[in-house]
Amino acid sequence: MNAPTLESPPSAVGAARLLDGRALALQVRARVAAEVAERIAHGGQAPGLAVVLVGEDPASQVYVRHKIKACEEAGIRSYSHRLDAQASEEALLELIDRLNRDPQVDGILVQLPLPAQINVQRVLARIRPGKDVDGFHAENLGRLAAGFPALRPCTPKGCMRLLDSAQIDCRGKLAVVVGASNIVGRPMALELLSAEATVLIAHKQTRDLPALVRQADILVVATGVPGLIRGEWIKPGAVVIDVGINRLGDGSLTGDVCFQEARERAAWITPVPGGVGPMTIACLLENTLEAAQNAVFIPV
Ligand code: GUN
């Protein structure tokens, strides 16, 4: 049986198919682990990822823990660096300089957000582009914008992997990205453009968001506003990718899209949790391996 396409939305009510990030992430992670093992078997060194956390933001602590655990499982060495919430920008820049020089470190990840006294742009600009496994350095973002090979931001890359896994062809489709952050929305729009979609980016100043969303063949939402997107806004047969991970008062996680409503109309939809989140980590491992494979020793 052929996979449903955008032109053939599911006929049954509530029949949206799940874009299962948990399952796909396991496949990606298994492939990375196999390539790491092969690299080591051929006398290479295990890739190394330095993870830098400044302060005690609880959500960041959880994300960092997951990233470090995923590294261990893939055979990637991780180096955890903690700075306290009052750390100066200078101290963080010195640490990055040290990691840039360290031949054991192939990738550097500075968990965001950073405390207010630290200028995030100066910090990201200091990471050597070849070690920038988050793909946030202007050189990598510029390469992505120009369609050149680059270390690509992990969440948008993970979203593209999910689309590929379901053989969803973006060419000529109208893609609407809701949210214009540097971490997700902007690079996501660039990814979709590279895949030859027609791309619209909605943000806080956008007028009549429902009208825009109603046109979307492919909808990607990354706002951090739980339940912002209502099911009745979804174009029947659309593909819905929900990047939001919001914790509710009862401790449960929910996305930026009203899932139960949206699945009645969409052809494909990501669950929260278990959709985009696991793919972000899988792509971080992939990027770390890629950085190690491309590593050249440049004294700085
Ligand atoms: N904070 C939220 N998402 C991310 C991410 O993908 N990378 C980093 N470094 N910080 C984040």
PDB file of all heavy atoms in Angstrom, residues 49-52 79 81 92-110 128 131 300:
ATOM      1  N   LEU A  49      31.940  15.386  22.909  1.00  0.00           N
ATOM      2  CA  LEU A  49      31.034  16.535  22.967  1.00  0.00           C
ATOM      3  C   LEU A  49      31.170  17.222  24.322  1.00  0.00           C
ATOM      4  O   LEU A  49      31.013  16.573  25.367  1.00  0.00           O
ATOM      5  CB  LEU A  49      29.576  16.077  22.785  1.00  0.00           C
ATOM      6  CG  LEU A  49      28.509  17.176  22.945  1.00  0.00           C
ATOM      7  CD1 LEU A  49      28.612  18.211  21.832  1.00  0.00           C
ATOM      8  CD2 LEU A  49      27.108  16.582  22.987  1.00  0.00           C
ATOM      9  N   ALA A  50      31.471  18.516  24.304  1.00  0.00           N
ATOM     10  CA  ALA A  50      31.481  19.304  25.540  1.00  0.00           C
ATOM     11  C   ALA A  50      30.121  19.983  25.684  1.00  0.00           C
ATOM     12  O   ALA A  50      29.647  20.646  24.757  1.00  0.00           O
ATOM     13  CB  ALA A  50      32.587  20.356  25.482  1.00  0.00           C
ATOM     14  N   VAL A  51      29.491  19.763  26.839  1.00  0.00           N
ATOM     15  CA  VAL A  51      28.171  20.346  27.106  1.00  0.00           C
ATOM     16  C   VAL A  51      28.334  21.360  28.233  1.00  0.00           C
ATOM     17  O   VAL A  51      28.796  21.013  29.321  1.00  0.00           O
ATOM     18  CB  VAL A  51      27.161  19.253  27.513  1.00  0.00           C
ATOM     19  CG1 VAL A  51      25.801  19.869  27.806  1.00  0.00           C
ATOM     20  CG2 VAL A  51      27.051  18.195  26.425  1.00  0.00           C
ATOM     21  N   VAL A  52      27.986  22.614  27.943  1.00  0.00           N
ATOM     22  CA  VAL A  52      28.191  23.693  28.915  1.00  0.00           C
ATOM     23  C   VAL A  52      26.839  24.184  29.403  1.00  0.00           C
ATOM     24  O   VAL A  52      25.972  24.559  28.605  1.00  0.00           O
ATOM     25  CB  VAL A  52      28.966  24.864  28.268  1.00  0.00           C
ATOM     26  CG1 VAL A  52      29.201  25.976  29.290  1.00  0.00           C
ATOM     27  CG2 VAL A  52      30.285  24.377  27.665  1.00  0.00           C
ATOM     28  N   TYR A  79      31.782  15.715  27.895  1.00  0.00           N
ATOM     29  CA  TYR A  79      32.486  16.484  28.920  1.00  0.00           C
ATOM     30  C   TYR A  79      31.522  17.542  29.409  1.00  0.00           C
ATOM     31  O   TYR A  79      31.125  18.425  28.643  1.00  0.00           O
ATOM     32  CB  TYR A  79      33.738  17.152  28.331  1.00  0.00           C
ATOM     33  CG  TYR A  79      34.669  16.182  27.644  1.00  0.00           C
ATOM     34  CD1 TYR A  79      34.617  16.000  26.263  1.00  0.00           C
ATOM     35  CD2 TYR A  79      35.576  15.430  28.379  1.00  0.00           C
ATOM     36  CE1 TYR A  79      35.462  15.092  25.632  1.00  0.00           C
ATOM     37  CE2 TYR A  79      36.429  14.520  27.752  1.00  0.00           C
ATOM     38  CZ  TYR A  79      36.358  14.364  26.379  1.00  0.00           C
ATOM     39  OH  TYR A  79      37.183  13.469  25.760  1.00  0.00           O
ATOM     40  N   HIS A  81      30.425  20.692  31.619  1.00  0.00           N
ATOM     41  CA  HIS A  81      30.993  21.880  32.264  1.00  0.00           C
ATOM     42  C   HIS A  81      29.859  22.705  32.852  1.00  0.00           C
ATOM     43  O   HIS A  81      28.935  23.090  32.128  1.00  0.00           O
ATOM     44  CB  HIS A  81      31.780  22.722  31.260  1.00  0.00           C
ATOM     45  CG  HIS A  81      32.993  22.028  30.738  1.00  0.00           C
ATOM     46  ND1 HIS A  81      34.230  22.142  31.332  1.00  0.00           N
ATOM     47  CD2 HIS A  81      33.152  21.177  29.701  1.00  0.00           C
ATOM     48  CE1 HIS A  81      35.103  21.408  30.670  1.00  0.00           C
ATOM     49  NE2 HIS A  81      34.471  20.812  29.666  1.00  0.00           N
ATOM     50  N   LEU A  92      32.942  32.419  30.667  1.00  0.00           N
ATOM     51  CA  LEU A  92      32.374  31.492  29.683  1.00  0.00           C
ATOM     52  C   LEU A  92      33.177  31.534  28.375  1.00  0.00           C
ATOM     53  O   LEU A  92      33.470  30.493  27.776  1.00  0.00           O
ATOM     54  CB  LEU A  92      30.899  31.842  29.436  1.00  0.00           C
ATOM     55  CG  LEU A  92      30.166  30.988  28.399  1.00  0.00           C
ATOM     56  CD1 LEU A  92      30.254  29.502  28.713  1.00  0.00           C
ATOM     57  CD2 LEU A  92      28.692  31.410  28.311  1.00  0.00           C
ATOM     58  N   LEU A  93      33.584  32.742  27.960  1.00  0.00           N
ATOM     59  CA  LEU A  93      34.367  32.857  26.720  1.00  0.00           C
ATOM     60  C   LEU A  93      35.720  32.159  26.862  1.00  0.00           C
ATOM     61  O   LEU A  93      36.199  31.506  25.924  1.00  0.00           O
ATOM     62  CB  LEU A  93      34.550  34.331  26.342  1.00  0.00           C
ATOM     63  CG  LEU A  93      33.261  35.068  25.933  1.00  0.00           C
ATOM     64  CD1 LEU A  93      33.543  36.546  25.686  1.00  0.00           C
ATOM     65  CD2 LEU A  93      32.614  34.440  24.703  1.00  0.00           C
ATOM     66  N   GLU A  94      36.314  32.274  28.055  1.00  0.00           N
ATOM     67  CA  GLU A  94      37.604  31.573  28.283  1.00  0.00           C
ATOM     68  C   GLU A  94      37.437  30.069  28.195  1.00  0.00           C
ATOM     69  O   GLU A  94      38.277  29.361  27.627  1.00  0.00           O
ATOM     70  CB  GLU A  94      38.177  31.950  29.656  1.00  0.00           C
ATOM     71  CG  GLU A  94      38.951  33.245  29.633  1.00  0.00           C
ATOM     72  CD  GLU A  94      39.322  33.722  31.038  1.00  0.00           C
ATOM     73  OE1 GLU A  94      39.396  32.882  31.962  1.00  0.00           O
ATOM     74  OE2 GLU A  94      39.519  34.940  31.192  1.00  0.00           O
ATOM     75  N   LEU A  95      36.324  29.567  28.767  1.00  0.00           N
ATOM     76  CA  LEU A  95      36.052  28.126  28.688  1.00  0.00           C
ATOM     77  C   LEU A  95      35.890  27.704  27.222  1.00  0.00           C
ATOM     78  O   LEU A  95      36.457  26.689  26.791  1.00  0.00           O
ATOM     79  CB  LEU A  95      34.787  27.790  29.495  1.00  0.00           C
ATOM     80  CG  LEU A  95      34.258  26.358  29.346  1.00  0.00           C
ATOM     81  CD1 LEU A  95      35.303  25.328  29.805  1.00  0.00           C
ATOM     82  CD2 LEU A  95      32.962  26.167  30.152  1.00  0.00           C
ATOM     83  N   ILE A  96      35.147  28.495  26.458  1.00  0.00           N
ATOM     84  CA  ILE A  96      34.949  28.153  25.035  1.00  0.00           C
ATOM     85  C   ILE A  96      36.286  28.158  24.300  1.00  0.00           C
ATOM     86  O   ILE A  96      36.557  27.255  23.484  1.00  0.00           O
ATOM     87  CB  ILE A  96      33.930  29.120  24.386  1.00  0.00           C
ATOM     88  CG1 ILE A  96      32.542  28.855  24.960  1.00  0.00           C
ATOM     89  CG2 ILE A  96      33.916  28.975  22.868  1.00  0.00           C
ATOM     90  CD1 ILE A  96      31.504  29.882  24.584  1.00  0.00           C
ATOM     91  N   ASP A  97      37.144  29.121  24.591  1.00  0.00           N
ATOM     92  CA  ASP A  97      38.463  29.157  23.942  1.00  0.00           C
ATOM     93  C   ASP A  97      39.236  27.871  24.221  1.00  0.00           C
ATOM     94  O   ASP A  97      39.888  27.312  23.333  1.00  0.00           O
ATOM     95  CB  ASP A  97      39.275  30.365  24.438  1.00  0.00           C
ATOM     96  CG  ASP A  97      38.734  31.684  23.881  1.00  0.00           C
ATOM     97  OD1 ASP A  97      37.963  31.636  22.903  1.00  0.00           O
ATOM     98  OD2 ASP A  97      39.077  32.744  24.438  1.00  0.00           O
ATOM     99  N   ARG A  98      39.150  27.420  25.494  1.00  0.00           N
ATOM    100  CA  ARG A  98      39.847  26.187  25.874  1.00  0.00           C
ATOM    101  C   ARG A  98      39.280  24.989  25.111  1.00  0.00           C
ATOM    102  O   ARG A  98      40.021  24.152  24.594  1.00  0.00           O
ATOM    103  CB  ARG A  98      39.677  25.962  27.388  1.00  0.00           C
ATOM    104  CG  ARG A  98      40.957  25.727  28.073  1.00  0.00           C
ATOM    105  CD  ARG A  98      40.975  25.653  29.577  1.00  0.00           C
ATOM    106  NE  ARG A  98      39.848  26.023  30.376  1.00  0.00           N
ATOM    107  CZ  ARG A  98      39.048  25.151  31.015  1.00  0.00           C
ATOM    108  NH1 ARG A  98      39.218  23.849  30.870  1.00  0.00           N
ATOM    109  NH2 ARG A  98      38.080  25.587  31.781  1.00  0.00           N
ATOM    110  N   LEU A  99      37.958  24.925  25.019  1.00  0.00           N
ATOM    111  CA  LEU A  99      37.309  23.802  24.322  1.00  0.00           C
ATOM    112  C   LEU A  99      37.609  23.867  22.824  1.00  0.00           C
ATOM    113  O   LEU A  99      37.782  22.831  22.173  1.00  0.00           O
ATOM    114  CB  LEU A  99      35.802  23.826  24.592  1.00  0.00           C
ATOM    115  CG  LEU A  99      35.403  23.644  26.067  1.00  0.00           C
ATOM    116  CD1 LEU A  99      33.900  23.883  26.245  1.00  0.00           C
ATOM    117  CD2 LEU A  99      35.792  22.260  26.581  1.00  0.00           C
ATOM    118  N   ASN A 100      37.677  25.083  22.276  1.00  0.00           N
ATOM    119  CA  ASN A 100      38.030  25.231  20.849  1.00  0.00           C
ATOM    120  C   ASN A 100      39.394  24.626  20.556  1.00  0.00           C
ATOM    121  O   ASN A 100      39.624  24.060  19.485  1.00  0.00           O
ATOM    122  CB  ASN A 100      38.060  26.719  20.470  1.00  0.00           C
ATOM    123  CG  ASN A 100      36.677  27.286  20.172  1.00  0.00           C
ATOM    124  OD1 ASN A 100      35.745  26.550  19.870  1.00  0.00           O
ATOM    125  ND2 ASN A 100      36.551  28.606  20.256  1.00  0.00           N
ATOM    126  N   ARG A 101      40.328  24.763  21.541  1.00  0.00           N
ATOM    127  CA  ARG A 101      41.710  24.276  21.329  1.00  0.00           C
ATOM    128  C   ARG A 101      41.860  22.787  21.613  1.00  0.00           C
ATOM    129  O   ARG A 101      42.838  22.184  21.190  1.00  0.00           O
ATOM    130  CB  ARG A 101      42.666  25.033  22.276  1.00  0.00           C
ATOM    131  CG  ARG A 101      42.986  26.442  21.864  1.00  0.00           C
ATOM    132  CD  ARG A 101      44.147  27.003  22.681  1.00  0.00           C
ATOM    133  NE  ARG A 101      43.868  27.049  24.105  1.00  0.00           N
ATOM    134  CZ  ARG A 101      43.362  28.109  24.747  1.00  0.00           C
ATOM    135  NH1 ARG A 101      43.084  29.220  24.080  1.00  0.00           N
ATOM    136  NH2 ARG A 101      43.145  28.067  26.041  1.00  0.00           N
ATOM    137  N   ASP A 102      40.906  22.210  22.374  1.00  0.00           N
ATOM    138  CA  ASP A 102      41.065  20.839  22.879  1.00  0.00           C
ATOM    139  C   ASP A 102      40.797  19.805  21.773  1.00  0.00           C
ATOM    140  O   ASP A 102      39.674  19.694  21.286  1.00  0.00           O
ATOM    141  CB  ASP A 102      40.082  20.639  24.044  1.00  0.00           C
ATOM    142  CG  ASP A 102      40.284  19.318  24.765  1.00  0.00           C
ATOM    143  OD1 ASP A 102      40.906  18.411  24.172  1.00  0.00           O
ATOM    144  OD2 ASP A 102      39.809  19.201  25.901  1.00  0.00           O
ATOM    145  N   PRO A 103      41.820  19.033  21.393  1.00  0.00           N
ATOM    146  CA  PRO A 103      41.611  18.064  20.305  1.00  0.00           C
ATOM    147  C   PRO A 103      40.689  16.902  20.684  1.00  0.00           C
ATOM    148  O   PRO A 103      40.214  16.191  19.804  1.00  0.00           O
ATOM    149  CB  PRO A 103      43.036  17.567  19.997  1.00  0.00           C
ATOM    150  CG  PRO A 103      43.839  17.881  21.207  1.00  0.00           C
ATOM    151  CD  PRO A 103      43.205  19.050  21.887  1.00  0.00           C
ATOM    152  N   GLN A 104      40.430  16.717  21.981  1.00  0.00           N
ATOM    153  CA  GLN A 104      39.477  15.672  22.405  1.00  0.00           C
ATOM    154  C   GLN A 104      38.026  16.112  22.183  1.00  0.00           C
ATOM    155  O   GLN A 104      37.109  15.294  22.217  1.00  0.00           O
ATOM    156  CB  GLN A 104      39.629  15.376  23.914  1.00  0.00           C
ATOM    157  CG  GLN A 104      41.017  15.034  24.385  1.00  0.00           C
ATOM    158  CD  GLN A 104      41.426  13.646  23.939  1.00  0.00           C
ATOM    159  OE1 GLN A 104      40.634  12.719  23.997  1.00  0.00           O
ATOM    160  NE2 GLN A 104      42.650  13.519  23.459  1.00  0.00           N
ATOM    161  N   VAL A 105      37.834  17.401  22.009  1.00  0.00           N
ATOM    162  CA  VAL A 105      36.478  17.945  21.910  1.00  0.00           C
ATOM    163  C   VAL A 105      36.160  18.235  20.446  1.00  0.00           C
ATOM    164  O   VAL A 105      36.756  19.104  19.827  1.00  0.00           O
ATOM    165  CB  VAL A 105      36.349  19.244  22.751  1.00  0.00           C
ATOM    166  CG1 VAL A 105      35.025  19.950  22.490  1.00  0.00           C
ATOM    167  CG2 VAL A 105      36.503  18.930  24.238  1.00  0.00           C
ATOM    168  N   ASP A 106      35.214  17.475  19.896  1.00  0.00           N
ATOM    169  CA  ASP A 106      34.792  17.695  18.501  1.00  0.00           C
ATOM    170  C   ASP A 106      33.609  18.641  18.411  1.00  0.00           C
ATOM    171  O   ASP A 106      33.429  19.323  17.403  1.00  0.00           O
ATOM    172  CB  ASP A 106      34.411  16.357  17.859  1.00  0.00           C
ATOM    173  CG  ASP A 106      35.591  15.409  17.814  1.00  0.00           C
ATOM    174  OD1 ASP A 106      36.535  15.705  17.068  1.00  0.00           O
ATOM    175  OD2 ASP A 106      35.581  14.397  18.544  1.00  0.00           O
ATOM    176  N   GLY A 107      32.765  18.621  19.453  1.00  0.00           N
ATOM    177  CA  GLY A 107      31.566  19.459  19.434  1.00  0.00           C
ATOM    178  C   GLY A 107      31.418  20.236  20.732  1.00  0.00           C
ATOM    179  O   GLY A 107      31.788  19.729  21.798  1.00  0.00           O
ATOM    180  N   ILE A 108      30.915  21.470  20.620  1.00  0.00           N
ATOM    181  CA  ILE A 108      30.677  22.306  21.802  1.00  0.00           C
ATOM    182  C   ILE A 108      29.213  22.732  21.781  1.00  0.00           C
ATOM    183  O   ILE A 108      28.731  23.271  20.779  1.00  0.00           O
ATOM    184  CB  ILE A 108      31.566  23.568  21.798  1.00  0.00           C
ATOM    185  CG1 ILE A 108      33.040  23.176  21.746  1.00  0.00           C
ATOM    186  CG2 ILE A 108      31.270  24.445  23.014  1.00  0.00           C
ATOM    187  CD1 ILE A 108      33.977  24.366  21.491  1.00  0.00           C
ATOM    188  N   LEU A 109      28.525  22.459  22.886  1.00  0.00           N
ATOM    189  CA  LEU A 109      27.130  22.872  23.007  1.00  0.00           C
ATOM    190  C   LEU A 109      26.978  23.728  24.251  1.00  0.00           C
ATOM    191  O   LEU A 109      27.306  23.273  25.345  1.00  0.00           O
ATOM    192  CB  LEU A 109      26.246  21.626  23.111  1.00  0.00           C
ATOM    193  CG  LEU A 109      24.745  21.841  23.247  1.00  0.00           C
ATOM    194  CD1 LEU A 109      24.001  20.712  22.591  1.00  0.00           C
ATOM    195  CD2 LEU A 109      24.317  21.975  24.700  1.00  0.00           C
ATOM    196  N   VAL A 110      26.577  24.970  24.084  1.00  0.00           N
ATOM    197  CA  VAL A 110      26.273  25.834  25.229  1.00  0.00           C
ATOM    198  C   VAL A 110      24.751  25.870  25.349  1.00  0.00           C
ATOM    199  O   VAL A 110      24.058  26.377  24.455  1.00  0.00           O
ATOM    200  CB  VAL A 110      26.830  27.264  25.027  1.00  0.00           C
ATOM    201  CG1 VAL A 110      26.450  28.151  26.210  1.00  0.00           C
ATOM    202  CG2 VAL A 110      28.343  27.225  24.846  1.00  0.00           C
ATOM    203  N   ARG A 128      34.113  27.713  17.657  1.00  0.00           N
ATOM    204  CA  ARG A 128      34.680  27.444  16.329  1.00  0.00           C
ATOM    205  C   ARG A 128      33.596  26.796  15.456  1.00  0.00           C
ATOM    206  O   ARG A 128      32.963  25.813  15.874  1.00  0.00           O
ATOM    207  CB  ARG A 128      35.869  26.504  16.504  1.00  0.00           C
ATOM    208  CG  ARG A 128      36.619  26.245  15.244  1.00  0.00           C
ATOM    209  CD  ARG A 128      37.613  25.127  15.480  1.00  0.00           C
ATOM    210  NE  ARG A 128      38.892  25.655  15.884  1.00  0.00           N
ATOM    211  CZ  ARG A 128      39.977  24.892  16.012  1.00  0.00           C
ATOM    212  NH1 ARG A 128      39.911  23.596  15.803  1.00  0.00           N
ATOM    213  NH2 ARG A 128      41.114  25.428  16.366  1.00  0.00           N
ATOM    214  N   LYS A 131      33.097  23.130  15.292  1.00  0.00           N
ATOM    215  CA  LYS A 131      32.689  22.438  16.519  1.00  0.00           C
ATOM    216  C   LYS A 131      31.275  22.841  16.943  1.00  0.00           C
ATOM    217  O   LYS A 131      30.797  22.415  17.993  1.00  0.00           O
ATOM    218  CB  LYS A 131      33.686  22.744  17.660  1.00  0.00           C
ATOM    219  CG  LYS A 131      35.082  22.199  17.424  1.00  0.00           C
ATOM    220  CD  LYS A 131      35.949  22.283  18.693  1.00  0.00           C
ATOM    221  CE  LYS A 131      37.334  21.673  18.446  1.00  0.00           C
ATOM    222  NZ  LYS A 131      38.087  21.477  19.700  1.00  0.00           N
ATOM    223  N   VAL A 300      44.646  27.415  17.500  1.00  0.00           N
ATOM    224  CA  VAL A 300      44.056  28.760  17.703  1.00  0.00           C
ATOM    225  C   VAL A 300      44.719  29.449  18.882  1.00  0.00           C
ATOM    226  O   VAL A 300      45.281  28.805  19.735  1.00  0.00           O
ATOM    227  CB  VAL A 300      42.519  28.703  17.962  1.00  0.00           C
ATOM    228  CG1 VAL A 300      41.773  28.484  16.664  1.00  0.00           C
ATOM    229  CG2 VAL A 300      42.162  27.667  18.986  1.00  0.00           C
TER     230      VAL A 300
END
